Amino acid sequence: MVLTDIRQQFPILSRMVKGKPLVYFDNAATSQKPQQVIDALTHYYSFYNANIHRGIHTLAEEATIAYEATREAVRDFVGADATEEIIFTKGTTEAINLVAYTWGRQNITAGDEIIISGMEHHSNIVPWQILCEEKKAFLKVIPVTDEGELSIEAYKELLGPKTKLVAVVHVSNSLGTINHVNEIITAAHLVGAKVLIDGAQSAVHLDVDVQKMDCDFFAFSGHKVYGPTGVGVLYGKRELLEDMPVFQGGGEMIKEVTFEQTTYNDLPYKYEAGTPNIADTIALKTALDFITAVGKDKIRVHEANLLAYATAHLKTIPDLSIIGEAKDKAGLVSFVVKGIHPQDIGVLLDNMGIAVRTGHHCTQPLMKRFGIPGTVRASFAMYNQPEEIDVLITGLHKTIKMLT
């Protein structure tokens, strides 16, 4: 499959926005969906819409088989040992909260320490703040360098006998920085701490093998890997998941209920209360199969070329500064223009059919670290092309001229 020909598989990319062909550079927020993912959703609702696991009729059996096939696809996608280690959630945010409210409440006590980084998304900050406040624990933060990298030296100094958990992002959604999580995990395990990796941005760009990585938890979202919204994944080591308390009570997560006592279901259903997001979960397998068919190696090369091309051209624009120039980056670039608010740039680019993200990207502490209110972020996917970057550069020149 040639990446230059792949755009035709994404129907939304053929639309016009305000009279201009759509240039979609907001892939870090959500990726567009290939036709086969859309077809998978409509096929479920058209031919075998039914609740799963508990029914004995044909539709229920077909839906259950398709749903569990996604679990196996996810297991293979992240390199987990068993499907029991794959928990379906609404997304990365719920996955992180699940760990905070179960493992966290069970294992964090007064005086313990949790380490996060200075480039975390709010969803990997706030749950730990809540937990630390409740348990009278302490939240420590790995500093970010001027280049937009984590200071590993400072991180190792933060580690100690009171460190119980390290929760870090694999790829920064604001800077594109690829963090050296293997080194982070190894160092944490030396002091007996568990590690959660936020893979919301990495799952679509990088090869992920949770066993080789040896992380204790890994979370990602379906809508960022060319799949539907409303479905995500938490991987957890089996022994940890088995020992953790339940997250929500209700149907499916139980074995037997009496008014005196309830016994809970086995993994993974212990953490999947109620009727799940069946259609979107089934379609997630189609998205993962699509990525595998294209090949992550080809996707990475293509996106790296786009990043290099965009970076080189952005640096030719006067008064434009790129925020985050780590040595290892995924396919996104954030920038500011002196004297112009990012939102104003985003509005004018939208008038030209160019979709970028502006603001703090749910990383307000990181923006404060760089002394800015926010950035303009252009993030790339397999279907983007250099010609679209040319459109962006031309649009930026026009926008800056209009605003200065």
Side-chain angles (χ1 to χ4, degrees):
M1 190 177 293
V2 181
L3 294 192
T4 53
D5 298 330
I6 210 166
R7 289 177 62 85
Q8 61 189 358
Q9 300 194 49
F10 293 81
I12 199 171
L13 300 179
S14 64
R15 70 160 290 180
M16 306 289 282
V17 172
K18 299 184 179 177
K20 304 289 184 181
L22 171 64
V23 173
Y24 186 78
F25 285 152
D26 195 20
N27 297 286
T30 196
S31 56
Q32 297 302 338
K33 320 307 173 193
Q35 186 63 53
Q36 49 262 62
V37 170
I38 299 169
D39 291 345
L41 288 167
T42 57
H43 183 72
Y44 166 77
Y45 283 121
S46 300
F47 292 99
Y48 60 106
N49 173 42
N51 214 324
I52 58 172
H53 294 143
R54 295 179 288 278
I56 60 171
H57 57 81
T58 298
L59 298 186
E61 289 180 351
E62 290 177 353
T64 299
I65 290 170
Y67 185 88
E68 290 303 325
T70 298
R71 201 185 305 273
E72 171 58 27
V74 172
R75 184 208 63 75
D76 183 65
F77 192 74
V78 301
D81 180 57
T83 53
E84 289 80 6
E85 297 178 317
I86 303 301
I87 311 299
F88 289 127
T89 66
K90 290 187 297 185
T92 305
T93 297
E94 184 179 55
I96 294 171
N97 275 273
L98 190 159
V99 176
Y101 279 83
T102 58
W103 184 92
R105 283 182 167 174
Q106 184 182 57
N107 291 279
I108 300 299
T109 58
D112 287 343
E113 296 171 355
I114 296 172
I115 296 176
I116 60 174
S117 86
M119 61 175 66
E120 298 307 315
H121 189 281
H122 295 163
S123 61
N124 204 28
I125 300 174
V126 178
W128 309 120
Q129 287 179 326
I130 294 171
L131 180 64
C132 285
E133 183 177 358
E134 177 183 331
K135 296 293 186 177
K136 294 182 172 54
F138 298 97
L139 192 66
K140 293 190 170 184
V141 182
I142 308 168
V144 178
T145 69
D146 291 341
E147 293 75 28
E149 299 176 333
L150 295 183
S151 172
I152 297 300
E153 294 77 13
Y155 162 64
K156 291 180 178 179
E157 291 179 1
L158 292 175
L159 290 167
K162 293 184 178 181
T163 308
K164 293 298 186 292
L165 178 74
V166 177
V168 294
V169 65
H170 199 172
V171 173
S172 168
N173 73 302
S174 293
L175 307 178
T177 304
I178 300 174
N179 289 318
H180 300 160
V181 293
N182 287 3
E183 186 176 1
I184 289 171
I185 293 166
T186 299
H189 285 168
L190 287 175
V191 299
K194 305 303 181 187
V195 182
L196 180 146
I197 300 298
D198 174 356
Q201 298 295 332
S202 65
V204 70
H205 299 294
L206 308 179
D207 290 327
V208 174
D209 188 322
V210 293
Q211 292 189 79
K212 290 181 180 178
M213 196 185 299
D214 197 28
C215 60
D216 300 287
F217 303 101
F218 185 91
F220 73 95
S221 300
H223 70 99
K224 297 182 191 290
V225 293
Y226 306 102
T229 57
V231 58
V233 171
L234 172 68
Y235 157 81
K237 289 181 177 178
R238 184 200 298 260
E239 61 270 21
L240 295 177
L241 295 175
E242 287 178 341
D243 189 54
M244 285 156 45
V246 297
F247 181 44
Q248 294 177 323
E252 187 63 21
M253 53 74 66
I254 52 85
K255 280 187 176 180
E256 183 178 359
V257 176
T258 69
F259 286 119
E260 291 73 33
Q261 185 178 9
T262 294
T263 56
Y264 304 126
N265 209 342
D266 298 326
L267 294 176
Y269 312 111
K270 172 183 174 182
Y271 296 106
E272 296 179 4
T275 297
N277 189 352
I278 302 169
D280 292 328
T281 302
I282 289 172
L284 176 60
K285 179 182 184 299
T286 305
L288 300 182
D289 290 346
F290 178 78
I291 293 172
T292 301
V294 176
K296 275 192 179 181
D297 53 344
K298 294 179 181 178
I299 296 171
R300 275 197 302 276
V301 170
H302 179 72
E303 292 174 346
N305 289 338
L306 291 174
L307 176 62
Y309 187 80
T311 300
H313 283 74
L314 287 169
K315 286 185 174 182
T316 67
I317 299 177
D319 294 326
L320 185 148
S321 300
I322 293 175
I323 305 299
E325 295 195 74
K327 290 185 286 292
D328 296 319
K329 287 185 65 174
L332 72 84
V333 58
S334 285
F335 57 90
V336 294
V337 179
K338 185 178 180 180
I340 304 177
H341 196 283
Q343 184 172 339
D344 294 334
I345 295 174
V347 169
L348 292 183
L349 288 178
D350 181 61
N351 289 334
M352 304 174 197
I354 305 167
V356 295
R357 179 68 51 160
T358 64
H360 54 67
H361 317 299
C362 292
T363 57
Q364 285 181 302
L366 182 63
M367 297 299 111
K368 184 177 180 181
R369 156 67 181 86
F370 284 99
I372 54 177
T375 69
V376 180
R377 184 186 70 191
S379 50
F380 311 121
M382 66 169 81
Y383 41 67
N384 292 126
Q385 298 299 322
E387 294 79 8
E388 294 182 293
I389 293 173
D390 294 337
V391 174
L392 171 65
I393 298 301
T394 299
L396 281 170
H397 280 292
K398 291 180 180 178
T399 296
I400 293 169
K401 185 176 181 180
M402 294 171 65
L403 293 173
T404 54

